[in-house]
Each structure stands twice: as C-alpha cells, then as structure tokens.
Amino acid sequence: DLTHPALPVTGPLEVTRASQAFNTMQEQIRGFMTERTQILAAVTHDLKTPMTRLRLRLEQCAEAALKQQLCGDLAAMQALVDEGLDLARSLDNVEPAQPVALNALVQSLCDDLAATGLPVHFEETAMPAALIVTAQPKALRRVLENLIDNALKYGQTAAITCEPVGPIAWLHIKDTGPGIPEAQRDEVLKPF
C-alpha cells in the first residue's frame, strides 16, 4: 500500500534498519509510479495534437472508401489514447472504497447495453435484493464494462450471474466465444 504511513523507526537495531529500508523502498516505488503515470499522461496527451491535425486533413480527402478506412483507424487510435489517459488518471487517483450495490450496478450496465440492442442478460436468481460489496465504484464499473464489452465483442453474447458465497460475491460473465488459449491466459491480467 503506497499510501500507508511510513513505519515507525524504533526498537532494536535490526528492526530500525528494516523499517528504514521498507520506508525508503516505499518512497522509491511511489516515485517510480508517479513518474510512470506522468510519462503515460504526457505521451497520450501529446498524441492528441497530431491526431486532431489528421482528422482535419481527412475532412479534405476526396476518396470516400479511403476516407472511411482512415477515419476508422483514427477512431481506434483515439480510443487507445483515451484508454491511456484513463489509466494514467486511475494510477494517479486512488478512489476510496465504499459500499456499492453490486446487483444494481450490473443491472444498470446490462439495461444500458440491452437498450442498444446488444444481447446481454443479467440473472439475479441467487442474489439477495441488495448485494452490497465494498469497492472503488468507478474502478469496479470500468472493470465490469470491459469484461461485458469483451464478452460481446469476442463471444457475441453476455450472460451475467452473481453468486454470493459468504463475504465474497462471485460474478460470472459467460459468452459463446472460443475462449482464451491456455498459453495466453497470463496476458489477460496485463494492461492493454
């Protein structure tokens, strides 16, 4: 926890040395994370200017098919830049955890997607009326949006269920896609 207060430097010599080492390490990691966040934010922000110029130049492109392809590529680049900026912001701002009604959040996401005609369904069969979890609301929403979006993109459908098991809530998002090859499963947890 990089926001945790420094350890007290008291006690026997071995303990004070270990505390000092941990405090120094925490400060260095905090500095590295800040620097990485600043670099990511700067790069993604700086890409916006040439992308705007490209967008303006594309407006003058006479060939409709080429223009459509290039606009699609530019939109994909814009999405990547926006993701980079979102990631930089999320690394910089640690949202406090608070109670979240998980079933209401998931139902809201599903309703929004279903209203656009996408095949997504949330089944609340095994859930209490209000399943409250402690989470970072914006981060949880972003994770769920990404998982549901990937289920729809790669599996054509998304069927969501939630199973409370003691103090834990298991959220299952099922699709009809081919799945992730076993050799690539570790890559799923890496950014982008």
Side-chain angles (χ1 to χ4, degrees):
D1 181 5
L2 295 178
T3 62
H4 193 278
L7 296 173
V9 183
T10 59
L13 181 61
E14 295 84 9
V15 173
T16 57
R17 285 183 180 166
S19 296
Q20 287 172 334
F22 278 113
N23 291 340
T24 300
M25 180 178 60
Q26 180 188 34
E27 195 57 42
Q28 288 174 338
I29 293 172
R30 190 181 296 139
F32 294 147
M33 294 294 288
T34 300
E35 184 178 336
R36 183 180 80 165
T37 302
Q38 289 171 343
I39 290 170
L40 179 61
V43 167
T44 53
H45 183 269
D46 288 349
L47 284 172
K48 286 186 162 226
T49 301
M51 288 174 57
T52 300
R53 285 195 307 261
L54 281 172
R55 194 172 288 109
L56 291 172
R57 289 180 181 146
L58 271 174
E59 291 301 319
Q60 298 176 9
C61 182
E63 190 179 331
L66 177 62
K67 181 177 180 178
Q68 184 178 3
Q69 288 176 333
L70 293 174
C71 284
D73 290 343
L74 192 57
M77 288 172 59
Q78 182 67 52
L80 291 172
V81 166
D82 290 343
E83 282 183 19
L85 285 171
D86 287 344
L87 178 61
R89 287 185 197 113
S90 71
L91 291 173
D92 203 28
N93 297 325
V94 177
E95 182 183 16
Q98 59 190 56
V100 176
L102 183 62
N103 49 347
L105 173 61
V106 174
Q107 187 67 61
S108 169
L109 292 171
C110 290
D111 289 347
D112 289 347
L113 291 167
T116 65
L118 292 169
V120 60
H121 176 69
F122 179 46
E123 236 177 83
E124 293 187 77
T125 54
M127 291 181 65
L131 179 59
I132 306 297
V133 296
T134 302
Q136 296 170 324
K138 290 178 187 170
L140 178 60
R141 181 180 193 90
R142 190 168 49 249
V143 165
L144 292 174
E145 285 173 342
N146 284 339
L147 290 171
I148 295 169
D149 181 56
N150 284 341
L152 292 169
K153 188 185 301 181
Y154 301 108
Q156 292 73 47
T157 63
I160 298 117
T161 57
C162 188
E163 177 187 358
V165 180
I168 297 171
W170 286 94
L171 194 65
H172 304 274
I173 301 173
K174 298 177 184 174
D175 61 47
T176 56
I180 300 168
E182 193 170 336
Q184 295 179 347
R185 290 188 183 158
D186 289 341
E187 299 297 313
V188 174
L189 300 176
K190 294 179 182 176
F192 306 111

